[in-house]
Each structure stands twice: as structure tokens, then as C-alpha cells.
Amino acid sequence: KLHRVVVVRASDWEETLGVAMQGAGLIDGGLGALKKVGEERQTEHFAGVDDQFQQELADGKQDVEKTSTSTAMAILAKTRSSFGSNTRALLQARRILKRKQVFLFLRDLYTNIVTDHKEESWLREAAEEDGESDDGSSNSGEEDIVLDEDDEDLRIHAPREVRERLDDTHKPQGLTIIKVLGHFAEYVHFAQMALMSIKVLGVMVRAALRVKSNAHSITARSDAQPKRTTNIEQAMLTNNFISSALRALYRHPTDPTITRETLLLMIYMVNEEAEHNEHAQAKLQLLQPPERPFTLLLTISKLSSLDDRSNLLLCLQVFVTISTFPVPIIPSSPPSPPSPPSPEPPSPRVSSKRRNSRRGSRRSSKVKVQTGVRLAPAREPEAAQILVAVLEAHWRDQAIFKLVLKILTISCEQMQLCRCFFEAGLSSGLRRFLRKVRRGEVEECWFEDMKGRIGMSSKSLRKAKDAILARMRVTQAIREVEDGCWQMLQALAVNAGGGPQQAEQAHENYQKDTSKTIAQALHELRETPHGSQWPLAVKYLEAMLLYDFTGHAEFFQQQEGLTLTLAELPNGQVAAVHPLLVAVLRLHVRSIPTAPHCPVADDQEEPVHRCDSYPRPMDLESKPMFPRLKQFSKRCSAPQLTIEGELVMHSDKVTNDAKATFAEAGAVKVLLESLLDVRDLDLQDGLLRILSDLVQDPALQAKQAAEEFKDFVLTDNGGADVVLELMKGNLKNKTRVTAALYTLAGVVTLIPDAASTMATELGSKVLIQTVWKYWSCGDTRRRSLMLLRRMRDAKPDLTAFMLKHWKASLAAMECGQSEDPDAATPEGTPEPVVEATPEVAQEEAGDERDDRDGNAVGDEGIGAVEEAEGAPEDQLEQAEMPLESCEMSQLDEETLEAVQPEEGRGPQTRESVAASPEPEAAPGNKLMTEAQLPREMRHFLALLKVHRFEQKSHILAIPDVVKAIVDFKDDPELSRLGMRALMSGTAMEQEMRLPTIGRCPNFVKSVRRIMHKESMQEVLQLQLRLVLGILDNDPSDYQDWVECAVFATVKVLQATVVWTTNSWEVILQAIEEAICTPQGKILLQNFNVALSLYKEWEKLKDSHDDALAKMIVSSFHDQTERILEIIG
């Protein structure tokens, strides 16, 4: 009721109304507060309606029948008189009715297809409840329904009684699969509708397979024809079955039936052996976008927590299948601008040429692919935790563990995902599993699980056989899993260390975690007897040392890894630990150094490259000895300053410590024993290379190792016999030859007495064959020649044997024939290009004598020698021929006896040799002469000839000795040896040699050159006596010998400290000989010989306490004073 009417202005009505409401005791705040209260009550009303609907909807997700038509009508009744629009409520009711119709359609389809016209109990109960609740609403207007035959949707959603009245031609056929897929996608969150949809799909797929198999059997198609695309699979992929299936797995993991049916269809779609060609497209849809494979991982995690083994296995099989699928990588290149259209279309001939172009086909075929599941970077840590948790939770289940391990192995190819596995503790879990395997827990669990699954509880013979086979299968599975676990540990360590190339930053727990794995691997090496993980642990240690030697080698040595490795020699797993020894000593990056140079310089010095330097521990560009170690890179560490002041890398320090440890542990002995037992050629080469590295550096206990090598008791001549036997018959193997020579050279260098144990005919023959086989290889040649010289010095009796075999090899080479089958050019050694060396160059300017005949001996000298011996006339005529024609020395005759065959050998004279035809080169061989050989080889032959002459002097061998002195006058050792050999023997023998020596060309210049470099008193006096002896025989170049005598006198006066009667007498004779010629007097004055002689004479006269000096003064007083007066 209105008690009072107030008239106010229009602008003040709201304020006036507020005052009135306050006065009446109503709400404060005026009209605005009143509106606010009304809106709050309206919102509260609709919220209550929504809550009731959502509750009914939640019940309907589990059972669609509970949300009946009466429920929708109740919602409409509640909202009929509400304030506002009813659009939202009407839409909700319509969706409920639509879902009800779809449910009826799927129920009928499920009943007709799946249950064979027999409804299941849960469907019958739902139908009865639906009939009771819908009597007043749905049945009232049933007979008034009029169907349009062209409306397929109305026909599908019509009630059952109406649909039964339809003609068979109007029944749904072609669109059924599409509608089921659509309903499955739309109502996948409803458990009953999803279950009916997925089962109907399964029946349809199986029916299609039966129809197709029947068609194949009728038409008898061959397997060679291409597969025909099945329409049902293509329709499933086109209508997003993969996406719907993943949603079903995500929403209903607790329903085993839905999960199983969905996973079975997914396995069918991705299986390559299925009778369709859509598996690649199905895999691509599962892989992209990245959220889809992650949904599978979430399903795996949920099934694992529910302990649903069968569905978990199915889900893992799907994930493994898509993980191994190669996905092509499309390069991201900017789009090319469109080319302007050509005014004329290309001719068919030109277009066909472009299509058939080889270059175009090659470009199109080079497509990069990648395997493994690519997840979103933000999801990778969670995915890693899921897989690691499933692996650790199901270690007792063989099938699940193997599938998860396979997924992890494939996923570790991705750097970031592998790092996530490392951070999730996968390496710790793998180490725990491997320890359980070692204790036998895993084998027993897997075997008992297999027994329970195949039913082997009864005791019978057949069951016993099945148990044995089951045990074998379990053992084989454990071996495969062990291999995979150790490979996974290696991949995790490499990834945590920064990748294969160590381009990324290492993880903070890299060293700690890897050290734990190395310790576990070393524990496997300590196990006696060795377990099944022993070879895998050795491979892991090798890989870690190759990957990061600086980071792991020191820890490996501290944990007695060297001792454990060496314990396998010689009777253990030698082949298995050999690569580990190579990794410890870093022989894959350290080549054998360059051999030291010989006493004489070669004709053409070989350039020394970086790869030939020694030591070169960080030379990463060299070719590794073992190809399987190619994929590993080496990390350079900071250099450290040693006590001696040298910069040594940390890796070198660790390697040197390993060498010293090996030497102290007696590694040389066990290596030699292993070489005697091992029959594998590659393994022999590797062990020999290791042995060679231990006998080089005296600071690393190499001398102790060399003593063990020398005193090896299992052979007659120590370790040299073992090494030489390995070389014998295997000279084609350059790697073996190089390592063997490096070993022998190191031992001889450290212990010179060891050459006596090597000095055998076997060793000499093998080394000579090596020299001639690798004569073009400088390092091999130098080491072989050095060893031959040491062996000859240790055992001079081998000189004749060496000379015979050397001359035989030289003769075979000059004939172009190989001495033995093993003398062919080795594989991998390039054919040498040899240029003929020039003749002996002229020593001084103004020399009128031609030096081109330096290899020959003058005919006058040979004739004089024959006359001195009283040779017959026919031999004198033969001797007057030049030596270049067919003359043979005594050494040549000895060599000829060595190379002649045993059968039919008759007396062979110089005439028969001269009459023999010129030898022809064998096919494939190159005729060469001695002058074309390297200078080192010619030097060794000259040395052998001089030594042989010293042992067995012969007048015919004098030219060989003189030629050796002339050709190698820069070698003091050979010069002194030659001079002593020429002046050896009795006085009569010396007098017989001197005429021949004096007539040898170029000898006088060589003698003067030798005197210029000589400083030893005895040698100079010997040379002076030789010069005087030649002057007494009136040589043709008499004046040159006089000059040489003066120069020798000066050198003797300068070098002599203690005089004897013979040495003073020789000096006086040389001066008297020089005085007789004008040139000699000039030379004596130029060299100021008078002053030097006067000083020495005064010293002798002043030596009153020296009896020898008094004897010289008393014996040569008058002669010396006379000579001083003449030359003064």
C-alpha cells in the first residue's frame, strides 16, 4: 500500500526513493543496492540448477540410461519460470536427448553385431529402467513420427520399432563405420558408449579381414602383387581414429576392456605385417603432434600403477613400434620465388628426360630420416621419470623389462632426452639391476614367472624338458638384457660428458656417476670365475678410456685396473683385454716414431712429417690401429710442467705411469708367453705393438722390461726368438714388421749385450730379407740395418753368412727376380720411384782424372798383383781386362757359391761367368743395379766387405775395401776399419797390397779427406805409414801422394802426444820423401813443418826423465838434425 505520494524532480527521484526505503526499514543503499541483491539471487538460482545438472551428467558418464528424457524435462521445468533466457537449458536438454538417441543406436548395433542378437545383462537392465522412466514422455508421440526416407540421420536415430518397419534397402550400410567413428570421437568420455563403439569397430575390422582373405583364396593371387588398400583402415584414419583412441586411453585407463580393445586396434593399425598399407600413416598420426606419444606414456604410467600387465604389454608394443619408425626430416628452406610461366609448354620429350635424369633421381633419393619419439621439450623430464619408474617397478617381469629397455635404448639417441634419463637416475637403476643379475635374483624371478605362466608345476618328463628349455630361454634373455644395460650405461655416460664430440658442457654429476659404473665394472673383473658380465664390463672400460682418458684413466689405475687387466695374460681372455690394453697405453693415437738416422746420410732424405714425430700422444689426425675405435674423440688436457722442465700433457703422465706399472708387474714376460700361445694374427700384431712400447723409455722402467725380454727362459735366445719367429714368413705384414723392429731396437738400445742373443743365422736372414723387402721404407730399413750391425759386432762370425745372403739378394734384384715368394712388394707399400745416383763427384777443383769409373779398379794394379803372385799367363791375360767387364772378387766368388744350386753344381770359373748371357727380368719385376739402392744399404754392404777382408784377407778383395773407403769417406768408423784392414797382417802381406792400393782411383783424395776429419793419433800414424808404403811403389799419381804425405805429417805432429821410435821414424821418412820433390819442399814450407818438428824435437831433448824420449833422441839425433837443417 502506498501511504503517501511525494512529488519530486526527475533528477532527484533515485535519492528520494532511497531515503523513503530507509525510512520504511528496507535495504540501505538505494536502488543500486536493490539491483545488486536481485542479481545475486538470480545467479544463486541458476547455479543450483547447474549443479544438479552436472551431478546428473556425471552419473550419466558412467551410465547413459540414468540420464533419461524425464531428467531433461525436469531441467526444463525448473527453468521455466526463472528470470532470464532459457537458451542454455534448452541446449543442454537437446544434447542429452541427442546422446540418448546415439546410445540407442550403438546399443542396437552392438547387440546385432557383437552379441549376435543377444543383449548382455547390463544392456537389458538399462533398457528396462529407460522404459519405466520414459513412459509418459517418449511413448506418447511414437506413432505420430513420420520419417523422411532421404534423411539418413533421422532413420538412424529413430526408435527400434519404427526402424524395424523400414525396408531392407533403407538400412544403413556404407555410412555405418563413419558414424560409429564419429560417435566414438564425440562420446569417448562416456564409458559405455566408448566401449560399444570400440567393440563394434573391432568386429567390423575382423569381418573385413575375413572377407579379404576369402577374396584372396578365390582369386588365388600371388604374393608378388602389391597390397590393396583396405577401405575400412583408410576410413578409420581419415575420421581421426588415432586421436579418439588416445582420448579413450587417457580417460578410461581403469577400464581394462576399453583399454584392451583400443590397444588391439592400434596395434593392428601400426603393424607392418597386417593386410593393409596404412601402417605408415597410422604411425605418423601417433607421432605427431608430440602430445600424442606423451599420452601413450601417461597410459603406460597408469597401467603400471594399476598392475594391468596385459594392457601394459600392449601399450609398450605400440610405443616400441612407433619408436622404430623412420620419420623423414624435411629441411626448413625458404620458399623459392615462383618462376615466370613459359610462353610455350615444354615438349613431352624434354619432360621425360627430366624425369629420367640420374642426377634428379639421386637427389630425390637422398632423404634424411630420424627414429625415435620426439616429445615436447617441456615434457621430456616427466617422460624420463615415467620410463625409469616403470623399468624399476617391473624388473621381475621379463617381457615388460625388455620392452622398456628397448624404448630407452632408442630414446637415448636424442641428446636432451638422454640427459633427462641421466638426471632421472636411470644409471643407478641399471647398476642395481645388474647387481641383482649377478646375484642370480633376476634369473630365478624370471624363471618362476615363466613356470607359472606356462604351467610347469607337475612333475613329468615332458615338464622337465620344458623346464630346461625355459631355463635356457631365460638365460638367453638375461644375456641380451645385460648387453643392453651396459650399452645404455655407456650411452648415458657419453651424453653426460658432453656428447660424442664433447661439444656440450658436461653434467655436474658426470664424474661421480661414471666412477661408480667403472668401479662396478672393475668389480666384475675381480669375480672368479668370470661371470657373464665380464666381457661387457671390459668393453665399457675400454669405451670410457677412449672417450675421456683424462677423466677416467687415473681412477682406473687407482682401482687396480691395470693389475686386473694384466692378470688375463697369458692364459686368460687375451683377445678380450687386448683392446683395453691399447686404450690404457693410447696406442690408437700414438704411432711408432721415426727411426734414428744411420752413420751416413742417405741420397734423398725422407721428409719428416708431423705424424712421424715422437712422442705424439695428442696427434688426433692419425689413422687409428683399430677401426672400431674410430667414433671416439679425445679430449686435450692442460699441460703440466715436469721436474725436468718439459711440458707433458696429463694424459701422457697417466700413460707413462701405466707403462711403469706394467714394467714393474712383469708385463713383458706374460706378453711373450701370450705371443707363444696366441694363433690369431691380428691379436699377435696388437700384443707385439704393446710389447714394443714397454722397452723404449729408461725413465719408465724400460730397462727392467728389456732385461726380462733378454732373460726370457722359454726360448733359447730370450724374447728375440719369439719376435723373430713372428717375423719369419710374415714379412708382408708391415704392421708386424714395424712393431717387431721397434721392439728389438729398443731392447738393443737399452741393453747392448742383448745383441748377442739376437745374433743368430735365423735373425740375420730374417732381417736381411726385411731390408730388401722394405728397401724403399726409410724407417724399416734403418732399424733393420742398425740391428744387423749390432748383431755382427756382437758375433763377428756371422759376417760371412750375412755377406752371402746379402749378395744373393743383390744378385736376385739385379736379375729382376725375387729370392723367395715373400719378397714381393707388400700390400699398402707404394712402388718406389728410384733415380740412379750420380757417380762419385770430384773432390777438388782442377782434378784432371775422370771419376766416372770409380766403381772399377785400374788394370795396372790388378796385373801387378797377379805378377806378384806368380799367376799363369792365361790368368794374367784375364786380369788385364777391366774390372767392369766380368772380373769377380774373392767376396763375389764366396757369394756365387752360396747362390748356386746344390744339384748339378760344377766348377764355375770367371770365363764361364763372363760367357753367361745377360739375365732377363722376371715378369712384374724391375731390373735394378746396386747404384740405385739407398746409400745406407750400399754402406752396409761395404761394411760387410771390409769386415770380411779383416777376417780373411785376399789380394783380390782389396778393390772392394778401397772402394768402400772411397764411397763412404764421411763415415769415420768405416774409414778407420778400412785403414786397419789394409795395413793388417805381416810386413810382406802389406808390401804385396800396397801397389794395388796405390793404383786405385780416387783413393788419394779420399785419404786426404779422411785425414782432414781424423783426430786420433794411432789412426793418423797408420794412415801415414800407408801413404809412405804407396810412395815406395812409385804410383802414377806420385805428386798427389806426396802432398798427402805432407798433410799427414802435419796432422801427426799436431795430434801426437807420446812419441815412439816407430812414429818418429815414420815422420822423418815422410819429410825425406817430400824433400825429394820441389812441390814437396813448397808444401813443407807452406805448412811450416820445420817449426812444428823443431818444437817436438826440443821437447824430446828436454825430457830427461823419459826413457823413451831419450831413446828417440839417441837413435834419430843425426837424422833429425840433418832434416831440420835442410827444411829450415
Side-chain angles (χ1 to χ4, degrees):
K1 281 184 180 181
L2 293 176
H3 299 281
R4 188 178 296 112
V5 177
V6 181
V7 180
V8 294
R9 291 194 301 267
S11 58
D12 300 333
W13 71 273
E14 291 185 1
E15 182 180 356
T16 305
L17 183 59
V19 172
M21 292 173 62
Q22 184 178 5
L26 299 178
I27 187 171
D28 297 338
L31 186 61
L34 183 62
K35 289 182 179 179
K36 184 176 181 181
V37 171
E39 291 176 357
E40 290 177 357
R41 291 182 179 180
Q42 183 181 2
T43 303
E44 183 180 357
H45 170 75
F46 282 105
V49 175
D50 290 339
D51 292 342
Q52 182 178 1
F53 175 75
Q54 293 296 336
Q55 184 178 359
E56 294 177 354
L57 183 63
D59 297 338
K61 287 182 180 180
Q62 303 301 324
D63 191 351
V64 180
E65 294 299 323
K66 293 182 179 180
T67 309
S68 59
T69 307
S70 59
T71 306
M73 297 306 297
I75 296 175
L76 291 177
K78 291 179 181 179
T79 58
R80 182 177 304 168
S81 61
S82 61
F83 182 82
S85 177
N86 298 329
T87 305
R88 181 179 180 185
L90 291 174
L91 290 176
Q92 290 176 350
R94 184 177 180 180
R95 285 197 296 268
I96 293 173
L97 292 175
K98 180 67 174 178
R99 185 169 69 250
K100 177 68 175 180
Q101 291 175 348
V102 171
F103 173 78
L104 295 176
F105 167 74
L106 291 176
R107 186 183 66 180
D108 295 342
L109 198 61
Y110 179 85
T111 304
N112 295 330
I113 294 179
V114 179
T115 63
D116 195 12
H117 301 281
K118 295 181 181 179
E119 293 184 344
E120 296 184 1
S121 59
W122 59 274
L123 284 176
R124 288 196 299 271
E125 295 174 358
E128 293 175 358
E129 294 177 1
D130 181 50
E132 295 175 358
S133 61
D134 296 343
D135 287 342
S137 59
S138 61
N139 296 335
S140 60
E142 182 177 331
E143 295 182 357
D144 298 333
I145 296 178
V146 179
L147 293 178
D148 186 1
E149 296 181 358
D150 297 332
D151 192 348
E152 182 70 17
D153 185 70
L154 290 178
R155 292 203 314 270
I156 291 176
H157 297 290
R160 186 191 313 168
E161 293 80 2
V162 180
R163 292 197 305 270
E164 289 177 353
R165 297 199 302 265
L166 294 175
D167 189 69
D168 294 338
T169 57
H170 298 111
K171 289 184 179 181
Q173 295 176 359
L175 296 179
T176 304
I177 180 66
I178 299 177
K179 288 189 174 295
V180 172
L181 288 169
H183 296 329
F184 180 54
E186 184 175 359
Y187 301 105
V188 68
H189 51 279
F190 294 97
Q192 293 179 358
M193 300 179 72
L195 176 61
M196 289 188 294
S197 301
I198 198 67
K199 281 197 172 185
V200 168
L201 286 176
V203 173
M204 290 181 175
V205 170
R206 287 190 289 271
L209 289 177
R210 285 194 297 269
V211 172
K212 187 173 183 181
S213 62
N214 294 335
H216 285 181
S217 62
I218 293 173
T219 57
R221 295 178 180 177
S222 61
D223 296 338
Q225 294 183 357
K227 295 181 180 179
R228 188 177 178 183
T229 304
T230 306
N231 292 333
I232 190 170
E233 291 86 5
Q234 189 175 5
M236 292 172 67
L237 294 178
T238 305
N239 291 273
N240 300 325
F241 166 75
I242 298 297
S243 176
S244 303
L246 290 173
R247 291 170 59 195
L249 293 176
Y250 179 77
R251 291 182 176 272
H252 309 291
T254 57
D255 192 329
T257 307
I258 297 177
T259 306
R260 179 175 180 80
E261 295 295 333
T262 306
L263 290 173
L264 286 175
L265 281 178
M266 292 178 69
I267 290 176
Y268 169 73
M269 295 299 297
V270 300
N271 189 10
E272 296 182 1
E273 298 180 357
E275 295 295 331
H276 64 87
N277 294 330
E278 301 298 329
H279 54 83
Q281 185 64 25
K283 293 175 183 177
L284 287 176
Q285 290 188 11
L286 275 171
L287 288 169
Q288 299 170 356
E291 288 76 11
R292 292 184 176 180
F294 185 74
T295 303
L296 281 178
L297 287 175
L298 293 177
T299 306
I300 291 173
S301 175
K302 189 63 176 178
L303 294 175
S304 175
S305 62
L306 295 173
D307 201 13
D308 189 353
R309 182 180 184 276
S310 59
N311 288 332
L312 179 58
L313 285 174
L314 294 176
C315 194
L316 288 173
Q317 290 176 9
V318 174
F319 201 90
V320 169
T321 304
I322 65 175
S323 298
T324 56
F325 178 67
V327 180
I329 302 176
I330 301 176
S332 58
S333 58
S336 59
S339 59
S342 59
E344 297 181 359
S347 62
R349 182 175 301 177
V350 175
S351 60
S352 63
K353 288 182 179 179
R354 292 178 180 177
R355 286 195 302 268
N356 299 330
S357 174
R358 292 184 178 179
R359 183 176 299 178
S361 62
R362 289 178 181 176
R363 289 179 180 177
S364 60
S365 61
K366 294 181 179 179
V367 179
K368 295 182 179 180
V369 296
Q370 63 181 5
T371 58
V373 176
R374 297 296 190 254
L375 301 173
R379 293 291 190 178
E380 288 182 350
E382 186 177 356
Q385 292 177 0
I386 290 173
L387 290 175
V388 172
V390 173
L391 184 75
E392 294 183 357
H394 296 275
W395 65 269
R396 293 180 176 86
D397 195 311
Q398 173 183 342
I400 296 177
F401 190 88
K402 290 178 67 175
L403 288 175
V404 177
L405 185 63
K406 187 173 183 180
I407 294 173
L408 291 171
T409 304
I410 298 172
S411 302
C412 274
E413 297 177 1
Q414 307 176 35
M415 293 290 297
Q416 189 62 32
L417 189 56
C418 186
R419 181 64 65 90
C420 294
F421 288 145
F422 181 81
E423 294 175 351
L426 177 58
S427 56
S428 301
L430 292 175
R431 286 194 295 268
R432 287 193 295 269
F433 175 78
L434 290 173
R435 287 194 292 268
K436 293 176 183 177
V437 171
R438 185 177 66 244
R439 293 193 296 265
E441 298 178 11
V442 177
E443 184 175 2
E444 291 301 325
C445 289
W446 288 10
F447 181 67
E448 293 298 329
D449 182 68
M450 182 174 291
K451 285 175 60 178
R453 295 186 187 283
I454 65 179
M456 294 187 302
S457 58
S458 60
K459 296 181 179 180
S460 63
L461 181 60
R462 182 175 183 82
K463 296 299 182 181
K465 292 182 180 178
D466 293 342
I468 295 174
L469 294 177
R471 177 73 71 175
M472 293 175 60
R473 288 194 294 269
V474 168
T475 303
Q476 180 64 26
I478 288 178
R479 299 296 173 267
E480 296 176 359
V481 169
E482 287 175 345
D483 191 7
C485 290
W486 281 104
Q487 290 183 5
M488 179 67 63
L489 287 172
Q490 177 181 340
L492 292 172
V494 171
N495 180 273
Q501 305 297 331
Q502 296 181 348
E504 304 292 336
Q505 184 178 2
H507 195 272
E508 56 182 2
N509 295 329
Y510 161 68
Q511 288 288 348
K512 181 179 180 181
D513 188 86
T514 310
S515 298
K516 293 180 180 179
T517 310
I518 291 176
Q520 184 164 337
L522 291 173
H523 182 73
E524 292 294 336
L525 267 64
R526 293 187 183 94
E527 291 292 325
T528 306
H530 296 324
S532 58
Q533 299 182 36
W534 185 89
L536 303 175
V538 172
K539 291 181 181 179
Y540 176 84
L541 292 173
E542 175 197 355
M544 288 297 99
L545 290 176
L546 292 175
Y547 173 69
D548 189 2
F549 184 84
T550 306
H552 304 312
E554 190 170 358
F555 179 77
F556 175 79
Q557 294 184 19
Q558 292 175 359
Q559 297 296 319
E560 300 179 354
L562 298 177
T563 305
L564 295 173
T565 305
L566 199 61
E568 297 298 323
L569 302 178
N571 300 322
Q573 301 291 336
V574 181
V577 300
H578 166 250
L580 184 56
L581 292 173
V582 173
V584 171
L585 296 177
R586 306 186 75 245
L587 298 179
H588 57 287
V589 294
R590 295 175 56 251
S591 62
I592 294 178
T594 305
H597 292 281
C598 287
V600 294
D602 206 346
D603 299 323
Q604 295 179 355
E605 290 294 336
E606 299 179 358
V608 179
H609 301 283
R610 178 173 176 261
C611 61
D612 296 328
S613 60
Y614 179 79
R616 52 165 200 162
M618 300 313 300
D619 189 1
L620 307 182
E621 300 176 357
S622 61
K623 296 182 179 179
M625 183 181 296
F626 306 98
R628 67 190 185 93
L629 308 178
K630 281 182 181 179
Q631 57 183 341
F632 296 100
S633 301
K634 289 83 194 172
R635 176 187 297 176
C636 295
S637 57
Q640 295 182 353
L641 191 64
T642 60
I643 299 177
E644 292 79 5
E646 299 177 355
L647 285 176
V648 179
M649 309 298 288
H650 179 68
S651 57
D652 299 339
K653 179 180 180 299
V654 178
T655 303
N656 294 338
D657 294 342
K659 291 181 184 179
T661 304
F662 279 143
E664 294 174 355
V668 172
K669 179 181 178 182
V670 294
L671 284 172
L672 290 173
E673 293 176 358
S674 302
L675 288 172
L676 290 176
D677 298 336
V678 170
R679 292 295 176 263
D680 184 76
L681 298 181
D682 294 336
L683 185 55
Q684 288 178 351
D685 297 342
L687 295 177
L688 189 59
R689 177 67 182 91
I690 296 172
L691 176 63
S692 66
D693 214 41
L694 300 180
V695 291
Q696 303 300 326
D697 194 348
L700 305 178
Q701 308 297 326
K703 191 169 184 180
Q704 178 181 350
E707 291 286 351
E708 292 183 7
F709 183 91
K710 175 187 174 184
D711 300 335
F712 187 63
V713 297
L714 297 184
T715 56
D716 296 336
N717 297 310
D721 281 355
V722 179
V723 177
L724 292 173
E725 284 291 340
L726 291 176
M727 292 179 62
K728 181 182 177 182
N730 294 280
L731 295 182
K732 291 183 180 180
N733 189 347
K734 188 174 182 180
T735 302
R736 172 174 298 194
V737 170
T738 305
L741 294 177
Y742 188 43
T743 304
L744 297 175
V747 173
V748 171
T749 303
L750 293 172
I751 306 177
D753 296 342
S756 59
T757 60
M758 305 177 190
T760 59
E761 293 185 356
L762 171 64
S764 303
K765 185 177 180 180
V766 170
L767 291 177
I768 289 174
Q769 291 176 354
T770 304
V771 172
W772 284 95
K773 190 174 189 62
Y774 297 96
W775 63 271
S776 60
C777 179
D779 290 341
T780 306
R781 183 181 68 241
R782 292 188 187 104
R783 285 196 176 93
S784 301
L785 292 175
M786 185 272 290
L787 290 171
L788 286 171
R789 287 193 298 270
R790 295 289 186 92
M791 292 164 60
R792 199 226 66 84
D793 295 341
K795 193 174 181 180
D797 296 341
L798 286 175
T799 305
F801 180 84
M802 290 182 179
L803 187 59
K804 287 180 181 180
H805 283 276
W806 189 275
K807 295 289 285 184
S809 300
L810 177 61
M813 184 202 68
E814 291 178 343
C815 296
Q817 298 176 355
S818 299
E819 184 180 2
D820 51 11
D822 200 23
T825 302
E827 299 179 0
T829 303
E831 186 69 23
V833 180
V834 182
E835 299 180 359
T837 57
E839 302 296 335
V840 180
Q842 295 183 358
E843 298 290 340
E844 297 178 358
D847 185 18
E848 297 179 358
R849 190 175 301 277
D850 189 7
D851 295 332
R852 287 177 297 177
D853 56 350
N855 295 332
V857 180
D859 52 349
E860 298 177 0
I862 298 297
V865 172
E866 296 291 348
E867 290 178 0
E869 293 183 348
E873 295 181 359
D874 55 347
Q875 293 187 6
L876 287 177
E877 294 175 0
Q878 180 74 17
E880 291 177 359
M881 297 177 61
L883 187 62
E884 293 179 354
S885 60
C886 61
E887 187 64 29
M888 299 179 62
S889 65
Q890 180 69 17
L891 299 176
D892 295 328
E893 293 178 353
E894 296 177 1
T895 304
L896 183 61
E897 295 176 0
V899 298
Q900 280 182 347
E902 296 292 339
E903 297 180 0
R905 176 183 295 183
Q908 187 169 3
T909 60
R910 294 188 179 92
E911 291 82 356
S912 62
V913 174
S916 61
E918 191 71 20
E920 298 180 359
N925 293 327
K926 185 178 180 181
L927 282 172
M928 297 183 64
T929 60
E930 181 182 353
Q932 292 176 295
L933 292 175
R935 195 161 186 260
E936 296 167 346
M937 296 178 65
R938 289 183 273 128
H939 173 266
F940 181 71
L941 176 60
L943 195 64
L944 288 179
K945 290 180 178 180
V946 172
H947 281 298
R948 185 56 180 163
F949 182 83
E950 186 180 14
Q951 294 175 355
K952 185 180 179 182
S953 59
H954 196 279
I955 193 66
L956 296 179
I958 294 177
D960 292 333
V961 179
V962 174
K963 183 176 180 300
I965 298 174
V966 172
D967 291 345
F968 303 99
K969 50 184 169 293
D970 54 341
D971 182 12
E973 179 184 359
L974 180 60
S975 302
R976 295 167 185 169
L977 183 64
M979 291 294 180
R980 291 192 183 98
L982 292 176
M983 297 302 293
S984 62
T986 61
M988 183 177 295
E989 292 176 350
Q990 294 178 11
E991 291 178 1
M992 294 175 62
R993 299 172 193 160
L994 291 175
T996 305
I997 297 173
R999 290 181 176 86
C1000 292
N1002 300 322
F1003 188 54
V1004 60
K1005 298 183 181 63
S1006 301
V1007 171
R1008 182 173 178 178
R1009 188 71 172 270
I1010 294 170
M1011 289 180 179
H1012 181 73
K1013 297 180 180 180
E1014 189 60 61
S1015 59
M1016 294 182 61
Q1017 172 184 345
E1018 298 178 357
V1019 178
L1020 288 171
Q1021 292 176 1
L1022 187 66
Q1023 293 173 354
L1024 182 56
R1025 287 199 298 270
L1026 175 64
V1027 171
L1028 292 177
I1030 294 174
L1031 288 173
D1032 291 341
N1033 290 274
D1034 297 330
S1036 57
D1037 47 355
Y1038 182 85
Q1039 193 60 40
D1040 295 336
W1041 283 109
V1042 170
E1043 181 179 349
C1044 185
V1046 174
F1047 186 75
T1049 303
V1050 174
K1051 292 289 293 184
V1052 171
L1053 288 174
Q1054 293 176 354
T1056 304
V1057 178
V1058 179
W1059 291 95
T1060 62
T1061 54
N1062 293 333
S1063 60
W1064 191 259
E1065 183 181 7
V1066 171
I1067 285 292
L1068 296 179
Q1069 291 178 2
I1071 296 174
E1072 288 180 349
E1073 193 73 27
I1075 291 174
C1076 298
T1077 59
Q1079 186 67 21
K1081 292 181 180 180
I1082 297 174
L1083 291 173
L1084 290 174
Q1085 293 176 1
N1086 292 338
F1087 285 106
N1088 204 2
V1089 176
L1091 180 60
S1092 300
L1093 182 63
Y1094 174 76
K1095 291 180 179 180
E1096 294 297 328
W1097 179 247
E1098 291 296 328
K1099 291 180 182 179
L1100 290 175
K1101 290 193 295 183
D1102 294 341
S1103 301
H1104 302 290
D1105 299 334
D1106 191 353
L1108 185 58
K1110 292 181 180 180
M1111 184 181 298
I1112 294 173
V1113 172
S1114 61
S1115 301
F1116 301 99
H1117 181 271
D1118 296 340
Q1119 185 179 1
T1120 304
E1121 292 294 340
R1122 179 176 57 83
I1123 290 175
L1124 285 173
E1125 183 179 355
I1126 294 174
I1127 63 177

